Amino acid sequence: MCYLFCYSFLSFLLFGLDAFANAAILNFTVRTPSLGDSNSHHLYSRQSTTTNVTAPGVISIHNTRNAEYISNITLGGREIPVLLDTGSSDLWVTGDVPGTKDLGKAISLSYAVGTASGDINTADLTFDGFTVKDQAYLLVKDTSSFSLDIKAQGFEGLIGLGPNTGSTIRDEIDNNSGDSVLSRIFSQNATSHNYLTMLLDRQGDTSDPFTGQLSISELIPGFENVTDMPKLTVDKVHRLTDADQHWQTFTDINGVIGPDGQPIKINSIVPKADDGELVVIFDSGYTLPQVPRAMSDAIYGRVQGAAYNEQGGYWTVPCDQLINLSFKFGGIEYPVHPLDVSSSDFNILDATGNPVCVGTFQPITSAFSLLGEYDIILGMGFMRNVYALMEYGNWVKNSKNDRNDPYIQLLPLTDKQAAHDDFVKVRMGGIDNTGDSAHALLPADQMKHSPISSAEKKKHYEEKVLSRWPYIFVGCFAFVLIVIGLIIWRCCVARKRRNAKKASAMGINTAGQHPQTSYANLNNPTSATPMKDMGSGQKYNFEEDPYGYSPHKNV
């Protein structure tokens, strides 16, 4: 029974985890803040930042209302605006691509806003001055499944900037044309550095001194000291689920500092995380960061006037409430700008019809890791506060750095006092009332808690099982060995007992020897062997006994 259970369970793990891994990847690519309303992104007009002149090897990033970050690629000679997504690894575009070659292999990529389906094609691609021949990509001809008009939002595709192992297209192609765009760029430029850097700007902040920029194998001028920051080791997932590999690392112990200046203590769901550490993914494709529910409650639950929207799954707070939040990595504190801790970009009204702001650090639900591989997804709301360098290292073969492990370096960009002043200017009309009683946090024992749904409880239960499958495997294997050992032992004992009964029936003692004969020996006067007097005057020669009943011989 246990053997069958273990076999079935392991078969499920080996053949079923891949589906979970792909689902987790695709869930990361939330493009719009659809807080219960798929059309909410249309409630405001698009705004653009002023584009600065960029340095060679650096391209500008267009910001759509702090919800989408877009750059251009050239595919088959056509310039296409695409979303920048460090949380996935595939390239897909819509529309016509000149000179494209259809490989006749159909795939689908499921996203929160719909499904990108079509055939895998190849065409020549240029990105940030680098050109690769016959780059494989998904050509999506039907966008009707999307819940928004992506072209109206300013993009016509998506470029995944994550590890090569996360590519679905790569799994379908038997040559290197299916590798991710960055993997191919790094592989054919073997002497260059294998890193990407990203700088995201913030709309609505009048003091934001820069626009968004991206670079490959180059540093953005003015931010070169990012290389002095700690190298954060990328936490590598198990090889069976490496399709779920992301740009992820550990926080410091008690490395999330809440609005009251105290650590928010949360237990990690990742079995290998040390006490107090949390595993974090950096994902430029996620508009709103995703955190454990208890952490989201700790950030917003003590704010006066805060309310949790069960249908949408998010907190709302008064827009003039300044909320402090910081993360610690490698001993460095990274403050989050208060304009990024709550957002006024969604045109949300409370029950009385007054505008409220959305708490951007949402409870993690749809993107919850069933495999227990991460705790937090730090999307745009966090990444606007750092200049990020992501070194691909040995994720790329045959290159300068293919012997180095991947790592992440983060340069903090947010100064607490300057951010405080920005918030007062933007949200409070320049009058600093952050210290009055109306803006004070509630006592800890009055903190509000968001309800957890039955579906979310089920996910947590499934995670506890799935994330510990190596231990379950070892336990099942040990159990099988013990059962086999017990069976062998019982068989040996039973055989010994049968032999003992057989010997007893034949008159043999337990030592394997025959008892002394009780009858008189015959006298053989011609034998040289010593004879025993049997009382009749005759002698019996034991060595000539044709039946071997000698007390000195074994059966």
Side-chain angles (χ1 to χ4, degrees), residues 17-28 87 89 163-167 235-248 281 367-374 377 395:
L17 289 185
D18 186 61
F20 279 110
N22 286 331
I25 283 179
L26 299 174
N27 280 338
F28 295 157
S89 305
N164 207 27
T165 58
S167 171
D235 172 46
K236 293 187 177 181
V237 302
H238 195 277
R239 287 192 62 84
L240 286 177
T241 58
D242 63 0
D244 202 24
Q245 179 69 64
H246 294 89
W247 289 109
Q248 58 196 68
I281 288 176
F368 182 80
S369 175
L370 287 174
L371 299 179
E373 291 175 341
Y374 57 86
I377 303 172
W395 280 342

Side-chain angles (χ1 to χ4, degrees), residues 123-202:
D124 294 347
L125 176 142
T126 300
F127 181 49
D128 193 14
F130 295 91
T131 299
V132 292
K133 297 289 186 181
D134 298 322
Q135 175 62 46
Y137 69 97
L138 176 63
L139 181 58
V140 180
K141 295 186 177 180
D142 183 7
T143 61
S144 60
S145 70
F146 290 126
S147 60
L148 70 162
D149 184 346
I150 63 173
K151 191 170 183 179
Q153 298 302 311
F155 65 94
E156 299 173 48
L158 176 148
I159 183 169
L161 305 173
N164 207 27
T165 58
S167 171
T168 301
I169 293 175
R170 174 175 175 261
D171 293 339
E172 299 292 330
I173 305 297
D174 57 3
N175 57 62
N176 64 1
S177 67
D179 289 346
S180 67
V181 172
L182 283 185
S183 182
R184 294 199 64 197
I185 288 175
F186 293 138
S187 294
Q188 71 180 25
N189 295 276
T191 60
S192 65
H193 293 283
N194 294 350
Y195 64 70
L196 166 83
T197 80
M198 185 174 289
L199 182 69
L200 303 182
D201 66 303
R202 179 183 304 105

Side-chain angles (χ1 to χ4, degrees), residues 44-55:
Y44 47 80
S45 60
R46 288 179 53 200
Q47 293 183 6
S48 302
T49 57
T50 302
T51 302
N52 290 342
V53 176
T54 57

Side-chain angles (χ1 to χ4, degrees), residues 510-545:
T510 57
Q513 298 177 332
H514 298 279
Q516 295 286 347
T517 55
S518 60
Y519 54 86
N521 289 320
L522 298 176
N523 184 25
N524 186 355
T526 63
S527 175
T529 304
M531 301 296 175
K532 184 175 181 180
D533 188 351
M534 303 302 294
S536 62
Q538 294 181 327
K539 303 292 183 179
Y540 184 78
N541 187 342
F542 284 94
E543 292 188 356
E544 294 180 359
D545 182 359

